[in-house]
Amino acid sequence: MTRDTAGDRSVTGPDAGGWHDPAVTGLPAATGGTSPRRSRLSELTDEELVQRAQSGNSRAFETLLRRHERAMFGTSLRLLGRPSDAEDAVQEAFIAAWRRLPEFRGDARFSTWLYRIITNRSLNELRRRKPAASLDDDDGPVPVALVQTGGPARQAEQSAMLTALQSALADLPESLRVCWLLREMDRRSYDEIADIVGIPEPTVRGRIARARTRLAEVMAPWR
Amino acid sequence: MAVADQPDSIGRGAGPAPSTPVDATPAPVDPDPATAAALARASDELGRVTDRDPSAGLVPAVMHSVWAELRPGQLLTLPGSAGRLLVGSAAVATAITARLDELADVVVRRCTVETRAPGPDEAGPEAVPLRVELTAAVAYGTDTHELSGVVRTTVVDTVRELFGLPVDQVDLVVEDVFVAEAGR
């Protein structure tokens, strides 16, 4: 890292000479060179956007949200089943992320941090529901009819298979379900899941393996 | 990392207790290939039906709350306003960053604006100049000294033009180098 400040600290003001050119009177033009520009917000990395947002730049934070909203919504939707609940959870989580952004130190990826907040918010919502609430509660899981493809027989098979899986997921202990979903649906690494859930990586592997075994038992009739 | 968001709530929460201890069950047995394939098909289906965008209003609703809770930073009195026109230092920083985004070879990561401690001959709060600290990445091959001059001029002129405030110190920390050909 180069700290290039020494020259400035001896300068007491623009008119004291040195780096300020008094001939420049208008707003500065882009005179920095010929390389491709990569400073538009959408081109910045999460890390760069986080640092800007931590400086109070709300547009940088908005760019982060738009980048991750689909993934976070999917995660919440798979835990909660109802799109409206998932949206509420994601909204609460994003606001919480803004409030807690000054505490974010960048030791893990921003997305990992978001996954953790989203997962916790979604689980809290599940716990607020009636004790028997699950992915197949009164309002049902994600409406399969909205996205079915193929002919009637194929649709019926898809619908039944999906219902069976969702029911099996609902019967899993929460800790197994979360690890399995993060691995198989969100494609998170074992290491990242350990970070999100806050448990050792070997425990993550064990939970996913156990979840897989239990789910496979339920899905055996669909072989 | 240490994440502060309810760190113990996953897997150890208040939900219904599992019928068997989660991590004390017998070692799992791999399902036969046909069953594994069935599970994979069902998983793909679940992924497909849940891979969707939230409503278009989600982010705007969040930003409505964010804007209500902006962290403006230090409030700076604009010259000639007799203390009745203030601007947050975060807003000044955002303006500086936006202007510097026009430069090709530098990406500002963090911008901090604060008032420098007033000297004994400086009359009042409106006369106190600002100190700006930038952390940035620069394109590989850039003449850093030349670029820093452009950056400093840009900062001073931008703040003066937009807010009428003086800047007398610009600290630039180059914390990374990016290769422009790779797009990052």
Side-chain angles (χ1 to χ4, degrees):
Chain A
M1 183 167 75
T2 300
R3 186 164 179 87
D4 186 13
T5 62
D8 293 328
R9 290 201 164 121
S10 62
V11 177
T12 57
D15 295 331
W19 47 267
H20 176 57
D21 179 2
V24 179
T25 55
L27 287 177
T31 56
T34 57
S35 303
R37 226 176 73 185
R38 57 173 291 268
S39 296
R40 286 177 301 196
L41 288 178
S42 62
E43 297 171 345
L44 299 182
T45 64
D46 277 7
E47 179 189 8
E48 290 163 343
L49 289 169
V50 164
Q51 288 181 320
R52 289 191 180 194
Q54 286 179 321
S55 297
N57 188 328
S58 60
R59 291 297 178 190
F61 186 69
E62 183 176 4
T63 304
L64 282 167
L65 298 190
R66 294 203 179 278
R67 188 173 289 177
H68 293 287
E69 65 172 327
R70 184 181 177 104
M72 297 303 147
F73 177 67
T75 299
S76 185
L77 183 58
R78 286 185 281 275
L79 283 168
L80 294 173
R82 290 196 293 261
S84 59
D85 286 349
E87 287 220 6
D88 288 346
V90 172
Q91 184 171 333
E92 289 176 12
F94 280 175
I95 293 170
W98 169 254
R99 291 172 179 161
R100 296 174 186 190
L101 198 59
E103 303 164 15
F104 179 68
R105 294 285 171 257
D107 299 328
R109 289 189 299 181
F110 177 74
S111 61
T112 301
W113 189 67
L114 264 189
Y115 268 114
R116 181 161 197 168
I117 297 174
I118 293 286
T119 303
N120 278 318
R121 292 277 162 172
S122 301
L123 292 177
N124 285 344
E125 171 58 25
L126 273 182
R127 292 165 190 155
R128 272 198 294 268
R129 292 180 182 175
K130 59 183 183 287
S134 66
L135 284 173
D136 58 350
D137 65 6
D138 291 345
D139 293 321
V142 178
V144 179
L146 292 175
V147 289
Q148 282 178 333
T149 59
R154 171 72 175 142
Q155 287 181 14
E157 181 191 358
Q158 285 178 329
S159 178
M161 192 168 63
L162 184 58
T163 300
L165 176 60
Q166 289 180 310
S167 177
L169 278 168
D171 288 339
L172 282 181
E174 174 186 293
S175 54
L176 299 191
R177 183 167 69 243
V178 167
C179 290
W180 186 87
L181 286 172
L182 287 171
R183 177 64 183 168
E184 300 297 335
M185 297 288 103
D186 294 295
R187 307 298 182 193
R188 298 298 97 193
S189 68
Y190 292 108
D191 183 51
E192 188 175 4
I193 296 170
D195 213 352
I196 294 168
V197 179
I199 58 177
E201 184 182 320
T203 306
V204 169
R205 290 179 180 274
R207 288 183 182 184
I208 292 171
R210 287 178 173 83
R212 192 176 290 135
T213 298
R214 293 197 194 186
L215 294 174
E217 289 170 3
V218 175
M219 299 310 296
W222 300 95
R223 283 180 294 187
Chain B
M1 67 170 291
V3 180
D5 194 68
Q6 304 149 9
D8 295 325
S9 64
I10 301 177
R12 297 185 287 272
S19 55
T20 55
V22 171
D23 297 317
T25 52
V29 178
D30 286 340
D32 65 82
T35 301
L39 177 57
R41 285 201 311 276
S43 301
D44 288 346
E45 188 66 10
L46 179 59
R48 193 173 65 81
V49 301
T50 55
D51 182 19
R52 51 200 277 191
D53 286 319
S55 71
L58 175 63
V59 170
V62 173
M63 293 311 296
H64 187 77
S65 295
V66 166
W67 290 323
E69 299 179 19
L70 280 179
R71 294 181 276 272
Q74 185 181 2
L75 293 179
L76 309 170
T77 301
L78 298 194
S81 69
R84 289 183 296 182
L85 182 54
L86 306 174
V87 61
S89 59
V92 177
T94 296
I96 291 170
T97 304
R99 186 67 63 185
L100 292 175
D101 278 349
E102 295 178 10
L103 303 179
D105 291 335
V106 61
V107 176
V108 175
R109 292 182 170 179
R110 191 183 298 273
C111 178
T112 306
V113 176
E114 58 188 16
T115 50
R116 186 177 50 70
D121 57 341
E122 289 171 324
E126 292 185 7
V128 176
L130 302 179
R131 171 182 176 272
V132 176
E133 178 168 327
L134 302 162
T135 60
V138 301
Y140 176 76
T142 300
D143 181 332
T144 307
H145 286 289
E146 181 181 339
L147 179 65
S148 68
V150 174
V151 166
R152 289 171 182 129
T153 301
T154 302
V155 169
V156 170
D157 292 346
T158 298
V159 176
R160 187 186 59 223
E161 286 289 328
L162 294 180
F163 305 104
L165 293 167
V167 175
D168 79 339
Q169 184 172 321
V170 180
D171 293 344
L172 175 62
V173 180
V174 178
E175 65 173 14
D176 199 5
V177 171
F178 64 89
V179 180
E181 289 77 7
R184 292 250 47 105

